[in-house]
Amino acid sequence: MSPVTLLPFIVLIGAMFLMTRSAKKKQQQAANMRNDLQPGSGVRTIGGMYATVKEVNDDTILLDAGPGVELLFAKNAIGAVLTDDEYNRIVHGVEHDLKSDSDIVPDDASSLTETDEPADEAAAASDDKPVDLGKKDEPEAAEEKAAEADEEPKKTDGDSDAKK
């Protein structure tokens, strides 16, 4: 056999080796993450439930999912270990900002606009009339169009303008 005919087989075996190697690395990282679990850590299960680790055993883990709710899971059911900030943000809705509270942008723009006029004068100065952008016909033209529409017989499906 020539080396040219063996080349596709060699490339295929090399690709399979690289794929299995990366999969084994991911499995090893997941196993290390599960073995390093400590009580009090926030976790997400593979089913999407968020809970706090209460107790760690060899093959199982006891999770506290809420007040008075303790669940026993297999270690393999833990999908991710979350940081404290991430767990509090997801479960409790607590945002931990590194910035000061003075940098928060307000919900409305009223505090961003500064005027020297008092609020009553500013409201009186603005035009609160609604603007109608529709085309308005003159009353005479509208009456003529209505009269023409009444004189012509209405067409139904199948009628045509051709003479019979």
Side-chain angles (χ1 to χ4, degrees):
M1 292 193 141
S2 70
V4 174
T5 57
L6 291 177
L7 185 63
F9 294 111
I10 295 170
V11 170
L12 183 63
I13 291 170
M16 289 174 53
F17 173 74
L18 291 175
M19 288 190 303
T20 57
R21 186 172 159 226
S22 66
K24 284 182 182 178
K25 282 177 98 175
K26 286 182 183 179
Q27 286 176 349
Q28 186 64 34
Q29 287 176 345
N32 288 340
M33 180 244 341
R34 290 180 184 119
N35 289 333
D36 293 340
L37 284 173
Q38 298 295 323
S41 301
V43 295
R44 182 184 68 235
T45 65
I46 58 174
M49 185 184 71
Y50 293 93
T52 305
V53 176
K54 189 166 185 180
E55 183 180 314
V56 179
N57 298 321
D58 290 337
D59 295 330
T60 60
I61 187 166
L62 185 66
L63 299 178
D64 182 17
V69 180
E70 294 179 355
L71 304 168
L72 186 64
F73 276 85
K75 272 190 177 179
N76 291 340
I78 303 302
V81 177
L82 307 173
T83 62
D84 289 338
D85 289 339
E86 186 178 12
Y87 181 77
N88 288 331
R89 180 182 58 81
I90 293 170
V91 176
H92 303 294
V94 176
E95 292 289 333
H96 179 60
D97 291 332
L98 297 176
K99 298 178 181 179
S100 67
D101 291 338
S102 63
D103 295 340
I104 296 175
V105 177
D107 289 338
D108 62 342
S110 63
S111 64
L112 298 175
T113 57
E114 295 182 24
T115 60
D116 294 336
E117 304 175 9
D120 295 335
E121 291 178 17
S126 68
D127 293 332
D128 290 337
K129 298 177 190 174
V131 177
D132 184 17
L133 299 176
K135 182 178 177 183
K136 296 195 179 210
D137 293 334
E138 295 179 14
E140 296 170 3
E143 289 174 9
E144 289 177 11
K145 287 182 182 179
E148 289 176 10
D150 289 339
E151 291 174 7
E152 292 181 17
K154 297 195 178 208
K155 297 178 185 174
T156 60
D157 291 342
D159 288 348
S160 67
D161 289 335
K163 293 182 181 178
K164 294 181 184 179

